[in-house]
């Protein structure tokens, strides 16, 4: 099988697939149109996020048997068209679930204990103790939306901090020793921390909007390591200003490029997030550890080999 690699990934992908007699070609620079012109020559593609695989692209890939994304989200692919054309879709959420879970906990600890702020103050000669009194995770009810790989890994870690973890998911009967499944209404009533672990789909676009935030009974901390467009930023900013959201941990932003490589839109809402002491922002790196880079690649290789060897 002839496979086109469109993004740089861990070298084990190349090493192990070549050892299994796959034919590999790398193209990390060609434009969308240039790749479209030659895609019919390949049986498979391995991608991250550089090029959107829309209906036009997929229909030109007449010989495609699979698309493998080194990562979890698949919103860059026209999934209904791919399925209609019989193209197998492969992703690797197992590879970075632990990285994401640790990032969630890390951001919460930094935000709730004012660690970054206090450290910067001391480095600037400011010694404030009462003003930097922290807020403990212990005893808090954490509500997760989405209970797949990322949600489960996050629940496991938060349960170790003495949190009560509840979650809402569109699939039934997912409760385990780390978290209890509840209705969305119950989650809104009980959660003191809200964390998103969902893909970006038509159903989840702006899932958390103004009315959703207003429905939350408690003032709460918000975490998003999923996709920026899962939440309406303008509504989040208003909730931060009003105090409904006590603080926000954002690894993803509504204003990111589709490739996640940078911010493509700047406005007053973004400037508020970047300047507020109540907000921590990181550049879409929750799943981006040295370990996850290797694990993501290994999961992809294992799934390709299982299906096509």
């Amino acid at each position: 099988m002839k496979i086109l690699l469109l993004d740089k990934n861990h070298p084990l992908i190349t090493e192990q697939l070549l050892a299994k007699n796959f034919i590999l070609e790398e193209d990390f620079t060609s434009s969308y149109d240039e790749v479209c012109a030659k895609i019919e020559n390949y049986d498979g593609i391995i991608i991250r996020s550089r090029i959107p695989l829309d209906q036009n692209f997929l229909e030109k890939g007449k010989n495609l048997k699979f698309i493998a994304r080194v990562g979890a989200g698949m919103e860059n692919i026209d999934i209904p068209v791919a399925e209609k054309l019989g193209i197998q879709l492969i992703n690797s959420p197992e590879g970075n679930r632990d990285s994401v879970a640790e990032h969630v906990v890390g951001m919460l600890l930094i935000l709730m204990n004012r660690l970054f702020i206090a450290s910067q103050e001391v480095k600037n000669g400011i010694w404030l103790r009462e003003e930097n009194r922290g807020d403990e995770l212990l005893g808090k009810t954490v509500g997760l939306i989405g209970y797949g790989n990322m949600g489960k890994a996050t629940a496991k870690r938060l349960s170790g901090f003495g949190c009560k973890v509840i979650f809402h998911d569109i699939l039934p009967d997912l409760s385990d020793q780390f978290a209890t499944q509840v209705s969305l209404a119950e989650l809104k009533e009980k959660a003191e921390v809200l964390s998103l672990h969902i893909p970006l789909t038509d159903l989840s676009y702006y899932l958390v909007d103004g009315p959703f935030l207003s429905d939350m009974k408690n003032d709460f901390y918000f975490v998003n390591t999923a996709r920026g467009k899962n939440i309406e930023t303008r509504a989040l900013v208003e909730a931060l200003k009003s105090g409904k959201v006590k603080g926000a941990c954002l690894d993803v932003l509504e204003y990111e490029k589709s490739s996640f490589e940078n911010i493509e839109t700047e406005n007053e809402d973004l400037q508020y997030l970047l300047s507020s002491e109540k907000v921590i922002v990181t550049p879409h790196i929750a799943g981006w550890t040295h370990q996850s880079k290797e694990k993501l690649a290994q999961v992809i290789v294992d799934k390709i080999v299982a299906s096509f060897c």
Side-chain angles (χ1 to χ4, degrees), residues 64 181 215:
L64 284 177
Q181 190 161 6
D215 287 344

Coordinates of all heavy atoms in Angstrom, one line a residue, residues 64 181 215:
L64 N -8.3 5.8 -2.1 CA -8.1 5.9 -0.6 C -8.8 4.8 0.1 O -10.0 4.6 -0.1 CB -8.5 7.2 -0.1 CG -7.6 8.4 -0.3 CD1 -8.2 9.7 0.2 CD2 -6.2 8.2 0.3
Q181 N -22.4 9.1 35.9 CA -23.1 9.7 34.8 C -24.4 10.4 35.3 O -25.1 9.8 36.1 CB -23.4 8.7 33.7 CG -24.0 9.3 32.4 CD -23.8 8.4 31.3 OE1 -23.4 7.2 31.4 NE2 -24.1 8.8 30.1
D215 N -27.6 28.8 33.2 CA -28.2 27.7 33.9 C -27.4 27.1 35.0 O -27.9 26.3 35.8 CB -28.6 26.6 32.8 CG -29.7 27.0 31.9 OD1 -30.4 28.0 32.3 OD2 -29.9 26.4 30.9

